[in-house]
Amino acid sequence: MRRASLDVIGLLPTSNEARVFLSEKSPDKRAKLIDALLDKPEYVDYWTLKWSDILRSSRRTLGDKGMAAMNRYIRSSVAANKPWDQFAREIVAARGSSNETGAANFFRIAVNPQEQAETVSQVFLGVRIQCARCHNHPYEKWKQQQYYQMAAFFARVRTKPADNADGTVIFAVNSGDVTNPRTNKLAPPTALDAKPLPENFDGDRRDALADWLTQPKNPFFAKILVNRVWKHLMGIGLVEPVDDLRATNPPSNQELFDALSADFVKNRYDIKWLIRTIMLSDAYQRSPIPTGNNAADTKYFSHYTFKRLGAEALLDALASATGTTDKFDGYPTGTRAAQLPDPTVNSYFLDLFGRPARNTACECERSDMPNMGQILHLMNNAGLNGRIAAKDGRIAQILAEKASDSKLLEELYLGTYSRYPSEPEKKIALARLAKAKDKKLAAEDLLWALLNSNEFLFNH
């Protein structure tokens, strides 16, 4: 339950939710749990955060109104479970005021045909064509000419100030082309490994690109989304790096990759279907504890992969486990980290633990690599100690109910690990609590130890 909850909604289960799930005897309780999580409003918060990272939604580049419009667009798309092909089409061919049409802000982040082609290719195809801007790709078949042919789809996109001068209007014109700087020849708009657009094509070239992009036979479109979701849930992509699909970087399981991508298309690019399908698999539900034979496996999913919690999920988990709330500048008290629409919101914690600045379209910008600063922050930070000792926090609430030591221990374990303490853990902790002169301080020490453990800091 803890694994599923963190992956789908970015939150720890409450102690009551964990208690109910652990006592449930129904053989399909995991399927029911997944469906319930996918229906929660927190699912919308968490996956809006994920797609906002990839699309680089930020106040720094879009301003307040543009960022708010893009966040509303992404959020409403996630809430409606908008098919991924429709979502992609609306972004690639977006037009109109950036303050009213959230998707139009894509063209304020990628501001010229070259950047637009690179971003669309990486986000929606998982193809990194940047290397072909100056020369033929050194590790893949893409030629420099193909790079500029992709850029040509965006050569007729124009912008102008909105009527109120606070925002931008995106529109297309009937003229404009891209020239290959090496040959000085025009590059006809041509999708990767596709036929050129007819010379007499009349209309917005981006509509033709969107048609090619989202067609069921496109060899990249479904696969990159499948790979992104697989990595999010499993910790390792079928292809790594997750957004670098190429013939020289084959998947770890080609048959699985092909089958899951084909079924994703068959199910009309339904992201919830994809999440549910992966989570119901044996692969997702395996133990993280390796056997003697598969301990070295980091590729074939013979056991579940430990994943350090992302910055926002970890901060929200600390708030949940300690029974406290956060206050971010400009947002109401109680706003969770996963609900923040903007990476420029001041938070030393989120930056320390790898929040991306959204400067690039690469998922690698979000870091989950541990460092000494993170360890010292969790061990010694006054903010964390303040959460643990908060007058209206988790421990204070439990003690106010005059709970027994066993009940106190049970609540802390369920609220952090989503499990009951083992017998050895119970024996040690109860002995310490019984000897303590100040039970509140002893309970705080126990919670501090739980929060600084790998079992808390990782999803597993």
Side-chain angles (χ1 to χ4, degrees):
M1 183 184 194
R2 187 180 191 272
R3 179 189 303 179
S5 183
L6 286 168
D7 279 343
V8 178
I9 65 173
L11 289 173
L12 290 174
T14 66
S15 57
N16 286 336
E17 288 171 339
R19 186 180 288 105
V20 170
F21 184 78
L22 291 169
S23 65
E24 173 66 54
K25 303 300 182 184
S26 172
D28 63 345
K29 69 177 186 178
R30 293 188 178 188
K32 290 178 180 178
L33 170 66
I34 294 167
D35 288 337
L37 290 170
L38 289 170
D39 285 339
K40 285 180 174 289
E42 292 84 359
Y43 164 81
V44 179
D45 296 331
Y46 195 50
W47 288 78
T48 295
L49 173 70
K50 182 173 181 63
W51 304 138
S52 294
D53 283 350
I54 296 171
L55 293 171
R56 297 184 288 170
S57 177
S58 170
R59 178 181 284 107
R60 183 176 53 255
T61 51
L62 301 177
D64 289 336
K65 291 185 177 180
M67 181 207 65
M70 192 165 195
N71 182 260
R72 285 195 304 271
Y73 169 73
I74 297 172
R75 174 174 290 276
S76 65
S77 298
V78 175
N81 194 32
K82 184 177 291 180
W84 188 249
D85 60 335
Q86 181 184 344
F87 183 73
R89 176 181 291 277
E90 290 173 353
I91 290 174
V92 170
R95 50 183 70 88
S97 170
S98 61
N99 293 337
E100 299 169 4
T101 305
N105 284 283
F106 175 83
F107 292 93
R108 300 175 66 204
I109 300 168
V111 296
N112 59 54
Q114 289 79 13
E115 289 183 13
Q116 290 153 4
E118 291 173 7
T119 305
V120 166
S121 296
Q122 187 161 358
V123 170
F124 294 114
L125 298 172
V127 176
R128 301 180 179 184
I129 63 170
Q130 294 91 322
C131 285
R133 178 184 281 210
C134 301
H135 48 73
N136 294 338
H137 200 299
Y139 306 118
E140 185 52 297
K141 63 182 181 179
W142 310 122
K143 307 298 184 184
Q144 186 183 33
Q145 179 68 0
Q146 290 177 290
Y147 174 94
Y148 287 98
Q149 288 173 336
M150 278 291 287
F153 282 104
F154 303 97
R156 298 179 178 181
V157 177
R158 299 289 185 272
T159 65
K160 64 180 181 180
D163 291 340
N164 59 9
D166 185 11
T168 304
V169 175
I170 310 298
F171 63 101
V173 296
N174 295 322
S175 63
D177 289 290
V178 168
T179 301
N180 185 327
R182 183 172 59 85
T183 63
N184 288 322
K185 293 182 178 180
L186 292 181
T190 310
L192 299 177
D193 282 347
K195 295 180 179 179
L197 207 61
E199 290 185 16
N200 61 351
F201 179 81
D202 183 21
D204 191 332
R205 292 174 172 179
R206 296 175 301 157
D207 290 331
L209 177 62
D211 289 340
W212 170 83
L213 188 74
T214 59
Q215 64 174 308
K217 292 184 179 180
N218 188 306
F220 305 105
F221 180 71
K223 286 185 174 178
I224 178 56
L225 199 279
V226 166
N227 201 42
R228 289 189 193 279
V229 175
W230 181 275
K231 175 164 185 172
H232 174 83
L233 296 172
M234 301 295 293
I236 302 171
L238 290 164
V239 174
E240 286 287 349
V242 70
D243 50 9
D244 191 13
L245 308 186
R246 49 187 163 84
T248 51
N249 186 30
S252 59
N253 189 324
Q254 186 71 60
E255 294 83 357
L256 171 61
F257 201 23
D258 291 343
L260 196 54
S261 300
D263 279 353
F264 180 49
V265 174
K266 187 183 299 182
N267 283 273
R268 301 181 179 181
Y269 301 96
D270 184 332
I271 295 175
K272 284 190 176 182
W273 173 89
L274 178 61
I275 294 170
R276 183 184 296 108
T277 297
I278 296 173
M279 293 179 73
L280 286 172
S281 69
D282 287 347
Y284 181 80
Q285 297 186 21
R286 286 185 180 127
S287 168
I289 307 302
T291 66
N293 295 324
N294 67 11
D297 174 29
T298 59
K299 185 175 182 180
Y300 296 110
F301 312 101
S302 55
H303 55 86
Y304 192 76
T305 303
F306 278 77
K307 303 177 297 188
R308 206 208 69 193
L309 299 186
E312 295 85 355
L314 180 55
L315 186 56
D316 288 340
L318 289 170
S320 173
T322 57
T324 57
T325 56
D326 286 293
K327 177 66 177 78
F328 299 100
D329 293 344
Y331 295 88
T333 299
T335 299
R336 291 181 288 101
Q339 294 176 311
L340 296 174
D342 182 27
T344 67
V345 175
N346 183 46
S347 173
Y348 174 77
F349 184 97
L350 294 178
D351 292 336
L352 177 64
F353 282 86
R355 172 177 63 175
R358 297 180 182 172
N359 291 324
T360 73
C362 183
E363 285 207 34
C364 60
E365 194 177 9
R366 176 177 287 277
S367 173
D368 61 359
M369 294 298 294
N371 59 60
M372 186 60 68
Q374 296 168 358
I375 297 170
L376 294 174
H377 185 85
L378 290 172
M379 291 180 65
N380 303 314
N381 181 256
L384 178 58
N385 291 328
R387 287 180 186 272
I388 294 172
K391 293 180 179 179
D392 57 351
R394 171 70 60 102
I395 288 176
Q397 293 170 14
I398 298 172
L399 293 177
E401 297 171 356
K402 301 188 183 304
S404 66
D405 289 355
S406 293
K407 177 69 173 177
L408 170 66
L409 186 62
E410 179 182 292
E411 282 293 311
L412 294 183
Y413 268 81
L414 287 170
T416 52
Y417 297 163
S418 303
R419 65 170 175 84
Y420 292 104
S422 66
E423 287 303 319
E425 289 169 333
K426 187 184 299 184
K427 182 178 180 180
I428 294 171
L430 290 178
R432 295 291 181 90
L433 288 170
K435 292 179 181 178
K437 295 181 180 179
D438 187 328
K439 187 160 295 187
K440 183 174 183 293
L441 287 178
E444 290 171 4
D445 286 345
L446 173 59
L447 182 54
W448 178 91
L450 296 176
L451 297 178
N452 275 277
S453 68
N454 285 341
E455 187 170 355
F456 179 79
L457 300 173
F458 284 77
N459 194 3
H460 45 80

